[in-house]
Amino acid sequence: SRPGWVFRPEDWRQFEGMAQSCQRAGLVFMPCQLVGHNVAISEEDLEKQALQCEAYGETMRKYPGLLYYLNGDFFMKFDDTEALKRLWNQWLADKYGSADALRASWGDEVYGDWGELRFPPPAPGGWGSVRECDRMRFEVWLTKRWVERHVKAVRGKDTDHPITSEYYQRPYGGLDLILTIDGQDASNIGYFDRPYEDVNKLPLTLRLIDLRMRGKSLGLGEYGVKTHPAWTIDNGAGGYHPVRTEEEQKRLFMAVAHYGFGMGGCKVQNWCLRDASEWVFPWGVLYPNGYLPKDVA
């Protein structure tokens, strides 16, 4: 995206050129409209983003092989405190209707005047706190609001092509696939885990996000592992980043393809094609110089 979410004519020409190249190659073009975008935003910014999504629908609807991709790497950051305060108090007013009703529910957790409550930090009481439960419901509402607005924008121009977003493999605060998928067509996650646990947990993870009974197809948005020798635990690699052997890499790629197909998935996609050894994501299927395929390809 560009500042203000307004593309230049040359941007659209590039996108259409990529779309046309994909059609000739028998590929589905999946343009990500708002990658890494924050869902906790003002009404003004939400509407500007929606105009960009609408323009995607207007421009891209004529291409047969197309999958709209609203967001990858969803983000929830509470930067715009004034906008957040307005939205929080609007949400509380819709839910409770009055200060007395809020006080009856929250008890001594009420921390300010009705209509002027700032968005609170996490409460120490956890799920025993009604206010904390409401705070989490509000975070889910923020994500649903963002998704619903942009789905509506695309659907205003294109009612045929499917829409998806890539969520995290487990709910992360209000970024909860099952609760916020709304009018999107595919249940879609990125999938990474530690060595061996990645293969072992894959079927259960797919089952968790399998929403085919709700009419949503099932997909893996990105996966992969490192094989470059720089990424050892001794060199500081942790989490799902440590280097794998070629055999471990093949085992994961085969597991993803076979479990994805066998459990009813519509797609899997590794991240990424190029195995850039100097970057945090060196887990592709092509060597970086000359684009020679690796064995795993």
Side-chain angles (χ1 to χ4, degrees), residues 32-41 46 49 53 68-78 139-151 163-190 221-222:
C32 190
Q33 293 153 268
L34 297 160
V35 64
H37 271 57
N38 186 14
V39 300
I41 58 174
L46 185 67
Q49 291 180 5
C53 291
Y68 292 107
Y69 183 37
L70 291 182
N71 201 340
D73 296 323
F74 273 104
F75 207 68
M76 185 172 289
K77 191 171 184 180
F78 307 118
E139 288 191 16
V140 170
W141 177 83
L142 284 173
T143 309
K144 279 181 63 68
R145 162 182 170 265
W146 192 95
V147 168
E148 287 173 359
R149 182 65 188 95
H150 297 324
V151 167
I163 301 173
T164 192
S165 294
E166 183 189 303
Y167 288 81
Y168 304 107
Q169 64 198 63
R170 297 178 187 86
Y172 184 71
L175 305 172
D176 188 316
L177 182 154
I178 294 171
L179 296 180
T180 64
I181 191 168
D182 185 57
Q184 299 176 91
D185 301 288
S187 176
N188 187 29
I189 60 166
E222 60 179 85

Side-chain angles (χ1 to χ4, degrees), residues 169-209:
Q169 64 198 63
R170 297 178 187 86
Y172 184 71
L175 305 172
D176 188 316
L177 182 154
I178 294 171
L179 296 180
T180 64
I181 191 168
D182 185 57
Q184 299 176 91
D185 301 288
S187 176
N188 187 29
I189 60 166
Y191 184 74
F192 302 96
D193 212 323
R194 289 173 290 187
Y196 293 97
E197 292 188 23
D198 47 17
V199 174
N200 292 340
K201 293 179 180 178
L202 177 57
L204 291 175
T205 305
L206 287 171
R207 180 58 60 227
L208 173 68
I209 64 155

Side-chain angles (χ1 to χ4, degrees), residues 84-98:
L84 196 67
K85 180 180 176 181
R86 289 195 301 271
L87 292 168
W88 174 233
N89 283 277
Q90 171 196 326
W91 187 87
L92 291 173
D94 292 341
K95 179 175 174 61
Y96 289 106
S98 70

Side-chain angles (χ1 to χ4, degrees), residues 21-66:
S21 297
C22 287
Q23 310 309 302
R24 285 198 296 268
L27 299 173
V28 174
F29 185 43
M30 193 178 84
C32 190
Q33 293 153 268
L34 297 160
V35 64
H37 271 57
N38 186 14
V39 300
I41 58 174
S42 67
E43 287 291 342
E44 295 79 10
D45 284 346
L46 185 67
E47 289 307 309
K48 290 176 183 176
Q49 291 180 5
L51 287 175
Q52 178 181 287
C53 291
E54 187 177 275
Y56 267 102
E58 176 72 39
T59 307
M60 296 295 171
R61 62 187 179 186
K62 58 181 172 287
Y63 297 104
L66 183 69

Side-chain angles (χ1 to χ4, degrees), residues 257-277:
H258 285 79
Y259 276 128
F261 178 71
M263 296 182 71
C266 63
K267 70 174 181 65
V268 300
Q269 57 193 87
N270 83 292
W271 184 270
C272 54
L273 289 179
R274 188 167 64 94
D275 202 348
S277 58

